[in-house]
Structure formats: C-alpha cells, structure tokens
Amino acid sequence: MADTQTVETEPDKKQRSVRVVLLALMITMMLAMLDNMIVGTAMPTIVGELGGLEHLSWVVTAYTLATAAATPLWGKLGDMYGRKGVFMTSIVLFLIGSALSGMAQDMGQLIGFRAVQGLGAGGLMVGVMAIIGDLIPPRERGKYQGMMAGVMALAMIGGPLVGGTITDNWGWRWSFYINLPLGVVALGLISVVLHLPAKRAQARIDYLGAALLTVGITSIVLVTTWGGTEYAWTSARIMELIGIGVAALVGFVFWQTKAAEPVLPLHIFRSRNFTLMSIIGFITGFVMFGATLFLPLYQQSVQGASATNSGLLLLPMLGAMLVTSMVAGRVTTNSGRYYVFPVVGSVLMVVGLYLLSTMDTGTSRLTSGIFMAVVGLGMGCLMQITMLVAQNSVEMKDMGVASSSTTLFRTLGSSFGVAIMGALFNHRVQDTMAARGGELGSKVTEQSAQLDAKSLEKLPDAVREAYQYAVSAGTHSAFLLGSIVAVVALVAAVFVKEVPLKGAGPQRSADDAAPAPLVEV
C-alpha cells in the first residue's frame, strides 16, 4: 500500500518541482526584461547626478552590445557543460554587474559596469528558454512559453512605472539594487529544485569562432546604433564598421565548418523550420521594438499624453499580446499543432502595422488603441511559437544553441528595427518641419527630431502644429516600412512545415521525420 502511495504521489512531486523551477525562471526573465525599462526611466536623474550627458547613449549601448555578443556563447556553454551551472553563473554575473552599477561614481564606471551586467544578461533569456526545452516535452512547452511571453508583456507595461516610482522614492541606484533580492531568490530556488543531467564536454571551447562572432555582432550593433545619429550613414567610421562586421561574419561562417565544437553549428540551419523561425524572429524583433519606440512618441507629441500615460496607452497592444500568447500556448499544448499561428500572426502584424501607418493628427486614442491591439494579437501569435518550433527542429544536444540563436536573431532584429525605422522617422520629420514650419521649424528639429513635453510647450502654436503633423508623417513612414518588412515574415510562415508535437521532443533534426520521444527529466 505504501508503495502504491509513493507511485501515486511521485507525479505530483515532479509537477510541484517543475512549478517552483518555472517560478524561478519567470523571476529571472523578469530581471532581464525589466532592467532596460527601469533604467530608461531613471536616466535623466542619473545624468543629473553623474554628469556625462555626451556619453548617455553608451549606458544603453554597452549593455546591448555585451548582451548580443554573449548570447550565443551562453547557449553553447550550456550545451557543453550543463545547463544549470552555466545558467546560475550568468545570474551571478548579472547581479554583480547590477551591484557595481548601483555603486558607480561617474558615467565611465556606469558604462563599464553596465557591460558586465549585459554579459550576464546574455545568458538569462537563453537559459530560461533552454531549461524549459530540457524540462518540458514539446507538446506541453507552448503553454509554459506562453506564460513567459506574458511575463515579457507585463515587464514592458510595468517597467516604466516601476522605474519612475523607484527613482522618485528611493533614488536611481535602487534601479539596479532591486535586481539583487529577486536574483538571490531565483538562485536559491534553482540551486535547490532544478535537477538536470550533468555534462562534461571533451572538446575545447571554440575561442576563434567566439571572437569572430563577437566582433561581427558588435560591428552590426554599432552600425545600427550610431548610423544616422553619431555618424552619417556614409561616413568613414560607419563604412569601416560595416567592412569589419562583414569580414568577421564571413570568417566566422568559414571557421564554423572547420571547428571541432563550433559556437553555432551550421547544420542546425539545414532544418527548414529552424531557418524560417530565425527569419520570423528577426522580423518580430524589428517590428516590436520599433512599435514600442514610436507609439509613445506619437501619443505624447500628437495626442497630448503624458510620459506615464503613453506607457499605459500601450496596454491594448501589450494586453492583446499577453492574451494571444497564452491562448496560442494552450491550443498548441492541447492539439500538438502550430502552423496556423505563424501564418495568422504574420497576417495580423502586416495589417496592424498598415493601420498604424494611417494615423494622423486627428486619430482618436480609441482608434489608435484598436490598431495597436491588432499588432499585439499578431505578435502574441509569434513571440513564443518561434522559439517552440526552433527548439523542436533540432536535436537535444543543440537545444541551447537553438535557443540562443533564436534570441540573438530577435535581438539583432530589434537593433535594425530601431535604427532603420528611426532614420526614416527622423528624415521625414525634419523634411516636413522644413516645409511646414519654415526656418524656425528647421531650427527646432536640427538637433533631434524627438522633442520632450517641455520643449513642445515652449513652441509657438503654428510651429507646434507643424511638429505634430511632422510626427504623424514620420510615424506613417516608419509603420508603413514595418508593414512591408512584416510581409517577409508572412512569406516565411507560409513555408513552415508542421511537424506535430508529440508528448516528447525530437531526437533528430529533420523536418521530414516524425519526432521520436525524449527521456523525461
């Protein structure tokens, strides 16, 4: 009888353990997503105390560069040496960077410590997704990844509000210190409850491949960050970075065919679904971060919303994304099928972005909210399904690399989206201001096409109206471009081949073969 009771309670214990691990993973993902949102709100206060306004952009750029460069390395290290230890190491590094950033005494120190924090952050998202891939069979994975998408949406909604509250009441240093208690809780839960098979790779780390990939990614991110702002797109510096980036990436691809244990095994791209999901992930990043950048600007400049309210006015998009992610995860779990979501999601994204491009100075908040909800529904169908299908398209030994590659493509997509849509927006605003605002209009936007609320209030009525028209024209161009780019995701989604998700994942990386069952952890 005792034996029978033990057998009956074992699944309950396992399920309880998985829930505790998922709680720790959600806390970790919250850390990764919240950080930039909170720090962005605190930046004016940080500059006021530390000075160094001319280096302000590097506080974000250093973090982004380090995160992008480290992402594929963390995934590969997890595959080689075991997921748990590598994941905990990335959390510790992130917390060390957070503590040091909170103690920074000048802008130079803050930039350096943010880079340390970014190195750790590169392993947070990858570790979360790869551990879910290890613990949860593909048939169940959609449900849990939908929950993770919900955490991302909540972080994007709550980040600016939390950042403002912390900065106003506790000071900007707590924007970094707040990570410490949350991180310690996550570390404690993971160390006690997470049990994964230990690994020890015989092969050495591919240091040359890692170096080439880091140089290539760094060059790409710097081009997209500096192009059109710090330097003209045709300047010698940008051309040099493009040349270095292309050379490094070509060298990296060549070396990956020779390396004994490549950082990014090229054979994973032989899977049609994995390659298509990488493309869709890139486009989703391109669109999502472009939308979250320009919608608040439109709402503040044209619709008269405050900075706080413009964050809350994103709720239709983020709320729709949250609900759809959860529904898509549930449906995928119950049916084992997913083909419909990339296709429908891409269609909604194309339509929603086109609708956003039609907004002008007379568009009501209700109308813009409906348009945002359409985009959110589309992104919700795509956010986690891309990761699920990518993981389902590779062998278990490449789970970390698949997770990190998908995350990296989304990160690079966001860099390109912000840069290209931003350049188009700025160019359109400045041209429109020169045409409608006269000499004063050109002077107003000479330094920046994005004006804050105080600057807007000081403008003469005619110039302010011209600026509102210019912003609506700029957002029209940016969102129309986003809609055109999203068509690429739709084309990719049409060619996805549905391999039904079984109760467990694939042992081999073939789109044309039915997945074989995994040994459950």
Side-chain angles (χ1 to χ4, degrees):
M1 186 72 180
D3 289 341
T4 304
Q5 188 173 0
T6 303
V7 171
E8 288 175 349
T9 58
E10 191 63 32
D12 294 335
K13 287 181 181 178
K14 182 178 177 181
Q15 190 64 30
R16 207 162 40 245
S17 297
V18 169
R19 280 199 292 264
V20 175
V21 170
L22 284 170
L23 173 62
L25 296 180
M26 284 192 282
I27 292 173
T28 309
M29 179 168 279
M30 186 72 77
L31 287 176
M33 291 299 300
L34 270 179
D35 190 75
N36 264 338
M37 301 288 178
I38 291 177
V39 172
T41 311
M43 282 312 300
T45 308
I46 293 173
V47 172
E49 182 173 326
L50 298 183
L53 178 62
E54 67 276 14
H55 303 303
L56 173 64
S57 63
W58 271 104
V59 176
V60 176
T61 302
Y63 180 90
T64 305
L65 274 176
T67 301
T71 293
L73 302 182
W74 286 114
K76 185 62 181 178
L77 288 172
D79 286 340
M80 292 176 67
Y81 298 108
R83 208 83 63 205
K84 180 176 177 178
V86 170
F87 183 51
M88 292 178 69
T89 302
S90 70
I91 296 176
V92 170
L93 188 59
F94 179 82
L95 295 181
I96 290 172
S98 297
L100 291 173
S101 296
M103 294 186 284
Q105 298 302 307
D106 58 49
M107 192 61 80
Q109 288 183 11
L110 180 60
I111 290 168
F113 296 149
R114 283 282 283 167
V116 174
Q117 194 184 22
L119 288 174
L124 299 186
M125 192 80 74
V126 174
V128 168
M129 292 305 175
I131 288 171
I132 289 177
D134 275 350
L135 282 179
I136 313 295
R139 183 68 176 262
E140 298 291 321
R141 211 175 288 160
K143 176 174 63 178
Y144 294 108
Q145 289 185 341
M147 291 166 57
M148 294 300 170
V151 171
M152 292 171 68
L154 289 174
M156 294 173 75
I157 295 168
L161 300 176
V162 172
T165 302
I166 289 174
T167 303
D168 290 342
N169 294 286
W170 298 348
W172 67 266
R173 296 183 186 277
W174 276 97
S175 298
F176 299 104
Y177 292 150
I178 195 70
N179 294 331
L180 301 181
L182 293 173
V184 168
V185 170
L187 272 176
L189 292 174
I190 289 166
S191 64
V192 172
V193 182
L194 179 60
H195 302 291
L196 292 172
K199 297 180 183 178
R200 181 67 188 177
Q202 299 301 315
R204 295 178 59 192
I205 296 173
D206 178 16
Y207 291 107
L208 177 57
L212 288 170
L213 183 59
T214 300
V215 171
I217 291 173
T218 300
S219 299
I220 289 172
V221 175
L222 285 178
V223 166
T224 56
T225 304
W226 284 349
T229 53
E230 298 283 327
Y231 302 96
W233 284 105
T234 55
S235 67
R237 179 60 55 86
I238 296 298
M239 292 296 109
E240 288 168 4
L241 285 171
I242 291 173
I244 292 170
V246 170
L249 292 177
V250 169
F252 170 76
V253 171
F254 173 77
W255 177 248
Q256 294 306 279
T257 63
K258 308 291 184 184
E261 193 66 41
V263 174
L264 185 59
L266 299 183
H267 67 78
I268 62 177
F269 291 97
R270 293 175 191 158
S271 165
R272 183 172 76 185
N273 276 5
F274 181 84
T275 302
L276 292 172
M277 288 303 122
S278 298
I279 294 170
I280 293 172
F282 181 92
I283 302 299
T284 304
F286 188 106
V287 167
M288 183 174 73
F289 286 90
T292 53
L293 175 67
F294 293 110
L295 281 171
L297 181 61
Y298 171 84
Q299 290 162 337
Q300 291 177 51
S301 302
V302 179
Q303 294 184 329
S306 66
T308 302
N309 283 343
S310 68
L312 293 175
L313 288 172
L314 288 176
L315 276 172
M317 183 176 76
L318 299 174
M321 188 172 80
L322 168 62
V323 172
T324 316
S325 293
M326 303 291 282
V327 171
R330 287 285 179 182
V331 171
T332 302
T333 296
N334 293 335
S335 67
R337 296 189 173 276
Y338 51 79
Y339 177 80
V340 65
F341 294 112
V343 175
V344 171
S346 300
V347 169
L348 288 171
M349 202 159 62
V350 171
V351 172
L353 287 165
Y354 176 75
L355 291 173
L356 288 176
S357 76
T358 64
M359 295 189 304
D360 55 27
T361 54
T363 303
S364 68
R365 291 185 181 180
L366 174 62
T367 302
S368 61
I370 293 171
F371 294 168
M372 282 188 278
V374 176
V375 176
L377 290 171
M379 289 194 296
C381 289
L382 295 171
M383 283 293 292
Q384 299 308 315
I385 292 297
T386 53
M387 180 67 74
L388 171 64
V389 178
Q391 289 180 338
N392 195 52
S393 303
V394 302
E395 299 177 34
M396 277 297 293
K397 68 182 180 67
D398 292 323
M399 185 68 70
V401 166
S403 302
S404 64
S405 298
T406 307
T407 304
L408 175 63
F409 280 112
R410 189 178 296 167
T411 302
L412 293 178
S414 68
S415 294
F416 275 90
V418 169
I420 296 172
M421 292 172 78
L424 189 62
F425 172 86
N426 292 340
H427 182 72
R428 186 73 188 273
V429 167
Q430 287 167 347
D431 283 355
T432 306
M433 284 296 284
R436 295 179 70 96
E439 187 177 340
L440 179 58
S442 297
K443 202 168 184 180
V444 164
T445 56
E446 190 175 19
Q447 297 297 321
S448 173
Q450 302 179 26
L451 304 181
D452 57 27
K454 290 182 180 178
S455 301
L456 275 174
E457 289 173 3
K458 296 176 183 176
L459 295 178
D461 289 344
V463 177
R464 189 186 309 113
E465 288 177 11
Y467 182 71
Q468 289 174 336
Y469 182 87
V471 168
S472 66
T475 51
H476 164 77
S477 298
F479 288 127
L480 188 60
L481 172 67
S483 179
I484 294 168
V485 170
V487 172
V488 177
L490 175 58
V491 173
V494 169
F495 287 99
V496 170
K497 183 174 182 179
E498 185 171 71
V499 179
L501 302 176
K502 307 299 182 182
Q507 285 283 25
R508 55 188 185 278
S509 169
D511 286 335
D512 299 321
L518 280 175
V519 177
E520 288 193 347
V521 178

